[in-house]
C-alpha cells in the first residue's frame, strides 16, 4: 500500500538543507516543506525579505526561494512542531571531522546527527520515514535506527514507528540548483520498500525513473564517501602532474585536454588548481581512512590518506613558489589575493586552499589585501585567526604600518596601487576581465601575477610588462626582465 506523504521536515538549514528543500518545494507544490535549525540567525536570514541576505549564495537560489517561501516552504526554529507534523524527515545537519577523543582527526563527529535522531524520537507521531541526507560514515543508519527503535518500544499507545533510509546528496556548491534540478542520479538506500517508494515519489516529480537507484543502506552510505573520494583523488592526480609540467616544460592544460578525450577518463574534474577545498572532500576521505583502519585494511587506509596528504603539500607548494619567485622574500611586500572562497559562485570558505596559502604568506611577512566578491571580512578573520589591519579606505590604501605579516580586506578591486604581486586563488568570472595594462602602471615593478586557477590570458599580462606564473605551465614559467 502506498504511504501517504504531505509534510516534509528537514533538520538543518545549511548548504544542503536549504537549497535541497527549496528545489523540492518548487517541484512539488502539493507538499509542505518545513526547514528547521537551531541557529536562529541562520533561520532569520532565510526569512529575510531582502533576498540578497540569504545565508547562502548560490546562483538561482534567490528566485526559487522567492517563489516558494511562505507558500509551501517554511524556515523556522520550531523543531518540535515540524517533527510532529512530518511524514518524512531529512536529517541534513553538519558532520565535521572529530577534533577530540576516539577517532579524532579522521572520523566524523556525529553529535549533531545523534541529537537530531533524539529529537525525532521524542517528538514524532505515528509512522515517520527518517532520511539520512547528511554524509555519514558507513553503518551510521544503525545508530539512528537504535535511537528510533528504542522510542518505538517506549511509545505505548502513541505507537510511534520509523523506517530509516539513506539518501545522500551529490550537489556541488556553486551549481547546487542545477545539480538538484538535473541530478546524474538519486540514490536511495534502505530495507523498507514502501518507504523507499514513498521517498522516490517526491523525486519522480522531476527526475526520470531510470536515474533513481535503489540499493541497500550501507552501499548507499559507502557510495557517497566513495564518490567524493574519487573526485578528490582526481584533483590530486592532476595537481601532481602540474608539478611535473612546471619542471619539464609541459603544460597541464594541454595534458588535461589530451587525457580527457579518452572516453574512459572523461574531461571533467581535470582542472589543476590550488588544491581542493570545501567542507566535504577532506572530511569524507578521512572517514574512509578511518573505516579502513578500523577493519585493519592498512594499505587501503594509506592509499586514501595520501590524497589528503598530497593536497596539503600542493597548497604549501603554491605559497613557496610565490616566495621563491619574489627574490626569496615577501617581507613587507604588498600582495593582492583575488578570491578566498573554496571555488567560484559560493560564499563558502570551509577548507579553502586560500586559508593555508594566506597564512603562509602572512607568516613570511607579506601584507595581503584580500578581495572576494562574496566572502566577508568577518569570515576571513575567522578563517585566518588573525585580525585585519586597518580597513582600506581612501586615506590609507597606500599606507602600511611596519608590523610584519598582516592582511586587509577590500570590497573592490581598487587595490593595485604599490602592489608587488597578485595571486589568483578563486576562479571568479570578474577576475577574467582585469585590465592588466592599466593596473600594471600602479604596481611596483618588477611585479608578478600568479594565477593558480588558469583564468588569466598570459598574453595580456605579458603585454602589461608583468611577470607571469601559472600553475602547471612549464612553457610560460618565465621571468620578464624589465
Ligand atoms: P552546514 O553546516 O551548512 O549546515 C548544517 C546545519 O545543521 C547548521 O545550520 C546547523 O545549525 C544545523 N544543525 C546542527 N544540529 C542541529 C540540530 N540538532 N537541530 C537542528 N539543526 C541543527 O552543513 P552542510 O554543508 O549543509 O552539510 C550538511 C551535511 O551534508 C554534511 O554531512 C555534509 O557532508 C553533507 N553534504 C554537504 C554538501 C555541501 O556542498 N556542503 C554536499 C553534499 C553533502
Ligand atoms: C563536492 C562534490 O563535487 C559533490 O558531488 C558533493 O556532493 C560535495 O562535494 C559534498 O559532498 O560536499 P563541492 O565541494 O561543493 O562538491 O565542490 P566541487 O566542485 O567538487 O569542488 C571541490 C574543490 O575541488 C574546490 O576547491 C574546487 O575548486 C576543486 N576543483 C574542482 C579543482 O581544483 N579542479 C577541478 O577540476 C574541480
Amino acid at each position: 500500500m502506498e504511504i501517504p506523504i504531505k509534510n516534509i521536515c528537514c533538520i538543518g538549514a545549511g548548504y544542503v538543507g536549504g537549497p535541497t528543500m527549496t528545489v523540492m518545494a518548487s517541484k512539488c507544490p502539493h507538499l509542505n516543506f518545513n526547514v528547521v535549525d537551531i541557529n536562529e540567525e541562520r533561520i532569520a536570514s532565510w526569512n529575510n525579505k531582502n533576498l540578497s541576505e540569504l545565508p547562502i549564495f548560490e546562483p538561482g537560489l534567490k528566485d526559487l526561494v522567492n517563489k516558494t517561501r511562505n507558500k509551501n516552504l517554511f524556515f523556522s526554529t520550531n523543531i518540535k512542531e515540524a517533527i510532529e507534523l512530518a511524514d518524512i524527515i531529512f536529517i541534513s545537519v553538519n558532520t565535521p571531522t572529530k577534533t577530540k577523543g576516539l577517532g579524532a582527526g579522521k572520523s566524523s563527529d556525529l553529535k549533531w546527527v545523534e541529537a537530531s535522531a533524539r529529537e525525532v524520537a521524542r517528538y514524532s507521531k505515528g509512522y515517520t520515514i527518517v532520511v539520512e541526507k547528511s554524509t555519514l560514515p558507513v553503518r551510521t543508519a544503525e545508530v539512528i535506527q537504535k535511537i528510533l527503535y528504542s522510542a518505538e518500544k517506549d511509545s505505548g499507545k502513541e505507537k510511534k514507528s520509523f523506517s530509516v533510509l539513506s539518501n545522500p546528496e551529490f550537489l556541488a556548491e556553486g551549481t547546487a540548483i542545477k545539480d538538484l534540478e538535473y541530478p546524474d542520479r538519486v540514490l536511495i538506500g534502505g530495507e523498507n520498500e514502501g518507504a523507499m517508494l514513498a521517498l522516490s515519489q517526491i523525486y519522480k516529480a522531476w527526475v526520470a525513473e531510470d536515474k533513481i537507484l535503489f540499493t541497500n543502506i550501507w552501499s548507499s552510505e559507502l557510495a557517497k564517501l566513495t564518490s567524493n573520494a574519487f573526485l578528490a583523488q582526481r584533483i590530486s592526480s592532476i595537481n601532481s602532474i602540474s608539478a611535473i609540467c612546471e619542471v619539464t616544460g609541459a603544460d597541464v592544460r594541454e595534458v588535461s585536454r589530451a587525457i580527457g578525450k579518452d572516453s574512459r577518463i572523461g574531461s571533467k574534474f581535470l582542472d589543476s588548481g590550488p588544491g581542493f577545498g570545501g567542507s566535504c572532500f577532506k572530511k569524507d576521505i578521512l572517514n574512509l581512512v578511518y573505516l579502513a583502519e578500523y577493519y585493519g585494511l592498512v594499505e587501503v587506509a594509506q592509499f586514501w590518506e595520501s590524497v589528503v596528504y598530497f593536497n596539503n603539500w600542493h597548497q604549501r607548494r603554491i605559497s613557496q613558489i610565490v616566495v621563491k619567485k619574489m627574490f626569496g622574500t615577501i617581507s613587507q611586500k604588498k600582495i593582492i589575493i583575488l578570491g578566498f572562497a573554496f571555488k567560484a559562485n559560493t560564499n563558502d570558505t570551509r577548507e579553502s586552499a586560500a586559508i593555508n596559502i594566506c597564512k603562509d604568506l602572512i607568516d613570511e611577512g607579506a601584507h595581503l589585501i584580500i578581495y572576494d566578491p562574496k566572502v566577508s571580512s568577518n569570515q576571513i578573520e575567522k578563517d585566518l585567526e588573525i585580525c585585519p589591519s586597518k580597513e582600506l579606505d581612501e586615506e590609507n590604501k597606500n599606507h602600511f604600518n611596519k608590523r610584519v605579516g598582516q592582511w586587509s580586506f577590500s570590497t573592490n578591486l581598487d587595490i593595485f596601487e604599490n602592489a608587488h604581486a597578485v595571486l589568483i586563488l578563486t576562479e571568479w568570472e570578474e577576475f577574467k576581465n582585469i585590465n592588466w595594462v592599466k593596473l600594471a602602471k600602479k604596481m611596483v615593478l618588477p611585479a608578478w601575477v600568479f594565477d593558480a586557477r588558469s583564468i588569466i590570458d598570459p598574453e595580456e599580462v605579458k603585454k602589461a610588462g608583468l611577470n607571469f606564473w601559472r600553475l602547471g605551465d612549464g612553457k610560460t614559467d618565465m621571468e620578464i626582465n624589465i
Side-chain angles (χ1 to χ4, degrees):
M1 204 181 66
E2 209 173 293
I3 301 167
I5 303 294
K6 178 71 192 160
N7 291 302
I8 318 290
C9 163
C10 176
I11 305 180
Y15 283 86
V16 168
T20 307
M21 293 302 122
T22 304
V23 168
M24 282 189 179
S26 73
K27 301 291 182 187
C28 306
H30 57 291
L31 300 176
N32 289 325
F33 294 81
N34 291 303
V35 187
V36 290
D37 204 294
I38 41 177
N39 185 334
E40 288 176 13
E41 207 184 316
R42 214 168 206 186
I43 290 297
S45 303
W46 279 111
N47 284 321
N48 200 314
K49 285 210 176 87
N50 178 355
L51 290 163
S52 303
E53 297 292 320
L54 295 181
I56 289 165
F57 171 73
E58 201 50 74
L61 179 66
K62 272 201 288 194
D63 289 348
L64 287 186
V65 169
N66 196 26
K67 274 187 206 150
T68 50
R69 194 174 59 183
N70 298 329
K71 293 186 183 93
N72 67 332
L73 174 68
F74 305 89
F75 294 95
S76 107
T77 50
N78 196 339
I79 297 173
K80 175 174 179 282
E81 194 179 276
I83 293 177
E84 279 173 354
L85 263 178
D87 305 304
I88 296 191
I89 299 175
F90 289 91
I91 297 181
S92 191
V93 298
N94 36 321
T95 51
T97 306
K98 260 179 111 171
T99 52
K100 283 191 217 139
L102 193 66
K106 286 189 185 143
S107 78
S108 272
D109 193 339
L110 296 181
K111 75 174 170 221
W112 293 275
V113 172
E114 189 181 330
S116 306
R118 288 189 190 281
E119 306 242 42
V120 173
R122 187 158 165 217
Y123 299 126
S124 63
K125 295 196 161 153
Y127 175 67
T128 313
I129 299 172
V130 179
V131 183
E132 297 177 339
K133 193 49 133 171
S134 297
T135 304
L136 295 167
V138 182
R139 301 200 85 90
T140 304
E142 227 163 41
V143 176
I144 298 177
Q145 269 162 357
K146 276 186 187 148
I147 294 169
L148 298 178
Y149 294 163
S150 64
E152 263 184 28
K153 282 190 208 136
D154 269 5
S155 63
K157 274 194 217 146
E158 275 181 72
K159 287 227 180 312
K160 293 184 190 208
S161 63
F162 305 94
S163 292
V164 177
L165 303 178
S166 160
N167 172 224
E169 185 46 62
F170 295 98
L171 70 80
E173 289 178 32
T175 52
I177 303 300
K178 187 177 106 315
D179 296 341
L180 288 160
E181 289 186 333
Y182 306 99
D184 285 347
R185 75 320 209 169
V186 165
L187 183 54
I188 298 178
E191 284 154 12
N192 182 315
E193 275 182 28
M196 291 163 85
L197 200 65
L199 177 58
S200 72
Q201 287 304 341
I202 298 182
Y203 286 105
K204 277 183 197 159
W206 78 99
V207 180
E209 223 167 314
D210 62 353
K211 290 199 168 175
I212 303 179
L213 311 182
F214 297 100
T215 65
N216 79 36
I217 204 155
W218 325 124
S219 301
S220 170
E221 290 177 336
L222 184 57
K224 172 63 196 178
L225 294 183
T226 308
S227 175
N228 274 359
F230 268 56
L231 290 169
Q233 180 227 39
R234 205 169 147 95
I235 297 167
S236 278
S237 299
I238 199 66
N239 283 340
S240 76
I241 299 301
S242 76
I244 296 184
C245 288
E246 285 162 29
V247 291
T248 57
D251 183 334
V252 75
R253 283 147 293 273
E254 291 176 357
V255 176
S256 290
R257 203 168 68 237
I259 65 168
K261 290 282 179 204
D262 185 325
S263 58
R264 294 166 303 174
I265 296 174
S267 61
K268 290 183 183 161
F269 256 69
L270 284 179
D271 292 332
S272 187
F276 59 77
S279 61
C280 296
F281 277 177
K282 185 171 155 196
K283 154 178 90 71
D284 294 347
I285 292 179
L286 290 175
N287 243 313
L288 212 52
V289 170
Y290 185 71
L291 185 77
E293 279 174 354
Y294 180 83
Y295 287 105
L297 301 166
V298 179
E299 287 76 8
V300 177
Q302 283 170 349
F303 173 75
W304 286 110
E305 198 162 16
S306 72
V307 175
V308 174
Y309 173 85
F310 178 83
N311 196 51
N312 293 338
W313 176 83
H314 181 71
Q315 291 179 0
R316 284 261 122 85
R317 193 171 90 75
I318 307 250
S319 37
Q320 284 169 5
I321 284 171
V322 171
V323 177
K324 277 190 203 145
K325 296 273 179 201
M326 295 178 75
F327 307 121
T329 175
I330 53 170
S331 180
Q332 305 204 4
K333 289 182 181 163
K334 177 175 168 182
I335 301 180
I336 292 167
I337 303 293
L338 296 185
F340 201 84
F342 80 96
K343 62 185 282 196
N345 293 319
T346 177
N347 58 346
D348 197 347
T349 61
R350 289 178 288 181
E351 299 291 340
S352 176
I355 300 172
N356 283 338
I357 294 172
C358 288
K359 278 186 176 169
D360 282 354
L361 298 178
I362 289 171
D363 281 350
E364 290 278 347
H367 301 302
L368 306 184
I369 312 292
I370 304 176
Y371 168 71
D372 186 291
K374 292 290 170 197
V375 179
S376 69
S377 179
N378 280 347
Q379 187 56 51
I380 297 174
E381 185 176 341
K382 273 190 213 150
D383 290 331
L384 294 180
E385 300 167 297
I386 307 170
C387 295
S389 46
K390 270 195 258 167
E391 288 295 309
L392 276 188
D393 55 28
E394 278 312 306
E395 286 93 65
N396 67 17
K397 78 176 168 204
N398 300 329
H399 169 79
F400 288 99
N401 65 39
K402 294 294 171 206
R403 191 159 62 85
V404 282
Q406 54 182 331
W407 69 277
S408 306
F409 177 72
S410 178
T411 52
N412 57 58
L413 280 171
D414 187 14
I415 43 181
F416 285 75
E417 202 74 57
N418 293 332
H420 296 80
V422 181
L423 170 59
I424 296 158
L425 291 179
T426 313
E427 70 281 24
W428 287 102
E429 203 55 36
E430 65 184 87
F431 301 156
K432 294 180 186 166
N433 305 318
I434 289 176
N435 183 337
W436 294 104
V437 174
K438 201 168 127 201
L439 294 178
K441 296 194 180 91
K442 300 184 176 192
M443 297 176 75
V444 181
L445 299 177
W448 277 92
V449 175
F450 297 97
D451 182 3
R453 289 288 187 174
S454 297
I455 55 167
I456 302 300
D457 180 352
E459 293 311 312
E460 289 296 307
V461 180
K462 261 198 266 179
K463 226 167 46 192
L466 299 168
N467 290 326
F468 182 67
W469 173 91
R470 68 174 169 176
L471 197 64
D473 191 345
K475 282 189 307 192
T476 49
D477 190 1
M478 65 204 171
E479 287 186 36
I480 299 166
N481 295 320
I482 300 161

